[in-house]
Amino acid sequence: MTNEAKASASRPQANERSGQAAAAKPKEKPFFEKVALIGLGLIGSSLSHVMRREGLAGTISGAARSEKTLRRAAELGLADSFHQDPAEAVRDADLVFLNVPVGAMGPVAERIRPALKKGAILTDVGSVKQSVIRDVSPHVPEGVHFIPGHPIAGTEQSGPDAGFPELFENRWCLLTPLPGTDEKALDRLTRFWQACGSHVETMDPAHHDLVLGITSHLPHLIAYNIVATAADLEEVTESEVIKYSAGGFRDFTRLAASDPVMWRDVFLNNREAVLELLGRFMEDLHALQRAIRWGEGDKLYEVFSRSRRIRREIIEAGQDTPAPNFGRR
Ligand code: NAP
């Protein structure tokens, strides 16, 4: 059975989490002969680890901007060849992943355009979809299948050391195919992500940006803001904020430790959805403020009980651990 056939039949087993490239599976026919990873940070390195573990790529070429990242990626064995010019990395590749910040997708696509192979699948992992489609589409040559995507999987870490092969396991990967997308190419990319351990769904790009606006972008904005507010409080010292952080504050600091370039680009590129959701959020916050001011305990109880139910539903859906305090000791 080829790896391609196996993907729909079985789920990959979890490996020990490690910084080194995952042990390769014995050679079988891979999903793709050559995969190019443009960007070797958290997502790019995790893709490398899972592709190695599952034998999904014949060879992997990797590209990053800096010498430092390329050197470290080589030490970790994240690819078989390393390039500072992304065009060199995509030459002859059957599958090309753009794993760079959302604001860099357009310029990178323009650069690789002349080197893309006819029949190749070009995809991305960007956290915003409408802007990536707007910026990348004009650079996709005839005969190349551009299928935008977004794995809903991440951590607050970045760089080539951050990746691990289980990152995508039991997580959703949303594909936002354009009208007229080649069904065979879409099916191949879907089965590739399933082989990485993900559940795959297709979604309209505008709807994606709204859904992720509330489930990911707004929570990060709130976290960045609460950490900034605490840091600015004059009556409370910074050392007290850190010392007593287990009261709840530290859970926000995980989100607020995320890569500033990535998140700057997310907010600049999902502006409409985030501003719309922020308006709704502020109205609800004002309602809570009023309930506290007027001592409306029933109202507060009702809102807090609903939140508790949502947390339970997330656990039941297998998207988090039921262990108290997220399983921390
Ligand atoms: P990361 O760890 O910061 O890695 C980014 C990579 O892109 C690095 O290899 C970097 O190269 C390269 N790069 C940065 N700017 C570039 C530019 N202007 N031109 C060319 N290459 C550039 O980021 P990541 O977390 O993997 O995120 C990558 C993408 O995945 C983003 O679009 C993000 O929205 C999306 N995403 C992230 C998460 C998450 O939780 N982090 C989850 C899902 C999707 P150097 O190191 O050499 O600068």
Side-chain angles (χ1 to χ4, degrees):
M1 184 158 53
T2 66
N3 279 317
E4 210 164 335
K6 268 186 190 166
S8 40
S10 70
R11 265 287 134 81
Q13 296 299 305
N15 261 13
E16 281 300 301
R17 184 175 163 164
S18 84
Q20 290 297 316
K25 270 198 169 174
K27 273 271 178 227
E28 295 173 49
K29 187 172 163 35
F31 248 79
F32 292 95
E33 284 303 329
K34 179 176 173 183
V35 178
L37 297 174
I38 312 303
L40 293 166
L42 170 70
I43 302 292
S45 61
S46 295
L47 279 167
S48 163
H49 289 303
V50 69
M51 284 195 291
R52 297 271 204 223
R53 189 187 70 184
E54 296 302 312
L56 303 179
T59 58
I60 302 174
S61 58
R65 248 183 340 181
S66 64
E67 284 284 353
K68 186 173 167 232
T69 296
L70 287 170
R71 213 175 313 116
R72 185 63 188 140
E75 283 164 11
L76 293 167
L78 296 179
D80 303 298
S81 66
F82 296 90
H83 313 268
Q84 214 154 15
D85 179 358
E88 276 177 32
V90 306
R91 223 171 280 289
D92 299 321
D94 310 288
L95 175 64
V96 176
F97 266 103
L98 303 181
N99 315 308
V100 297
V102 166
M105 296 282 183
V108 169
E110 186 175 10
R111 213 156 148 201
I112 62 175
R113 173 192 204 147
L116 286 168
K117 181 169 112 172
K118 208 173 163 67
I121 296 176
L122 170 65
T123 189
D124 77 293
V125 297
S127 305
V128 182
K129 294 280 50 91
Q130 289 176 104
S131 73
V132 170
I133 292 170
R134 178 198 66 206
D135 296 347
V136 171
S137 295
H139 306 296
V140 181
E142 191 69 32
V144 170
H145 308 292
F146 173 43
I147 308 175
H150 178 203
I152 315 297
T155 74
E156 68 282 15
Q157 312 271 315
S158 51
D161 283 284
F164 52 100
E166 304 86 5
L167 179 67
F168 309 110
E169 225 158 81
N170 202 26
R171 295 284 165 263
W172 286 96
C173 179
L174 299 177
L175 300 178
T176 60
L178 305 166
T181 295
D182 182 82
E183 283 299 327
K184 272 196 188 143
L186 179 59
D187 180 57
R188 226 169 149 210
L189 187 61
T190 299
R191 284 184 294 122
F192 174 89
W193 273 112
Q194 287 168 341
C196 294
S198 295
H199 309 293
V200 182
E201 229 166 55
T202 56
M203 198 179 262
D204 168 72
H207 191 64
H208 167 279
D209 290 355
L210 188 66
V211 172
L212 270 291
I214 192 66
T215 57
S216 169
H217 307 170
L218 198 59
H220 278 82
L221 194 69
I222 293 165
Y224 279 124
N225 190 53
I226 200 168
V227 173
T229 303
D232 287 346
L233 270 185
E234 276 157 16
E235 305 80 20
V236 180
T237 66
E238 204 173 298
S239 65
E240 283 174 310
V241 169
I242 292 165
K243 187 170 164 189
Y244 303 121
S245 63
F249 179 72
R250 71 175 185 193
D251 288 347
F252 285 101
T253 62
R254 187 189 74 75
L255 291 182
S258 302
D259 188 70
V261 173
M262 170 187 156
W263 284 99
R264 176 202 65 194
D265 282 11
V266 167
F267 292 115
L268 292 180
N269 286 281
N270 197 20
R271 189 169 34 195
E272 280 76 22
V274 170
L275 290 178
E276 165 67 23
L277 293 164
L278 199 53
R280 292 283 297 267
F281 173 79
M282 304 234 265
E283 275 176 32
D284 292 341
L285 195 60
H286 282 135
L288 282 180
Q289 186 182 30
R290 197 185 149 81
I292 293 168
R293 189 181 309 286
W294 295 102
E296 295 169 345
D298 288 352
K299 195 166 263 175
L300 294 175
Y301 181 83
E302 189 192 311
V303 173
F304 299 164
S305 304
R306 200 164 140 219
S307 311
R308 206 174 202 193
R309 276 203 305 278
I310 288 173
R311 169 79 191 155
R312 268 204 299 271
E313 283 169 25
I314 290 170
I315 291 164
E316 278 160 22
Q319 294 301 299
D320 207 353
T321 168
N325 200 15
F326 307 129
R328 288 190 197 115
R329 292 270 170 96

